[in-house]
Amino acid sequence: QVQLVESGGGLVQPGGSLRLSCAASGRAFSSSAMGWFRQAPGKEREFVATISWSGSSTHYADSVKGRFTISRDNAKNTVYLQMNSLKPEDTAVYFCAARSAGYMLIAVPSTAYDHWGQGTQVTVSS
């Protein structure tokens, strides 16, 4: 069983930066692709970024491309989301997600992920 715990959310001004972390417990983290999703009030959960098991392959939503960077440290069982040049429209609850062990490749649909964290709030406001 994989457990995911996000941290690093908070209130930031437009143009600011935050780094989210997702700590994973349980076996086989290093053999699973990971992803970040977000959900704003009144909206559906949407894809943000994904990273392969080795970190060699990544993919981003168009809305965050060039501003957000996903990375992972398999030795620490942690995946990160560096968010720069934040905009008010980035305000949402951000969720970390993991694919099942052995599913190493990046994936966009939320249905490709079997394990989810509880989410961390990111608010971008002046």
Side-chain angles (χ1 to χ4, degrees):
Q1 183 71 18
V2 176
Q3 292 184 330
L4 305 173
V5 179
E6 302 97 334
S7 61
L11 174 64
V12 63
Q13 292 186 342
S17 298
L18 281 175
R19 189 176 81 155
L20 305 183
S21 299
C22 173
S25 62
R27 60 186 181 90
F29 169 82
S30 61
S31 68
S32 303
M34 302 289 293
W36 285 97
F37 292 76
R38 67 187 182 186
Q39 187 168 18
K43 295 187 177 181
E44 293 186 352
R45 189 172 299 187
E46 65 174 1
F47 166 78
V48 175
T50 178
I51 188 167
S52 63
W53 69 280
S54 65
S56 62
S57 180
T58 59
H59 182 70
Y60 298 90
D62 287 343
S63 59
V64 306
K65 199 172 295 183
R67 300 188 298 121
F68 290 11
T69 302
I70 189 171
S71 62
R72 66 189 297 163
D73 185 339
N74 286 343
K76 295 182 178 180
N77 278 12
T78 302
V79 63
Y80 305 97
L81 186 68
Q82 177 66 43
M83 305 185 296
N84 299 328
S85 302
L86 283 161
K87 305 174 181 180
E89 51 264 43
D90 294 318
T91 295
V93 177
Y94 283 71
F95 297 90
C96 173
R99 303 194 72 186
S100 290
Y103 286 81
M104 303 180 182
L105 303 181
I106 60 174
V108 173
S110 61
T111 52
Y113 296 83
D114 297 297
H115 308 283
W116 293 82
Q118 82 289 349
T120 185
Q121 177 70 46
V122 171
T123 302
V124 185
S125 175
S126 55

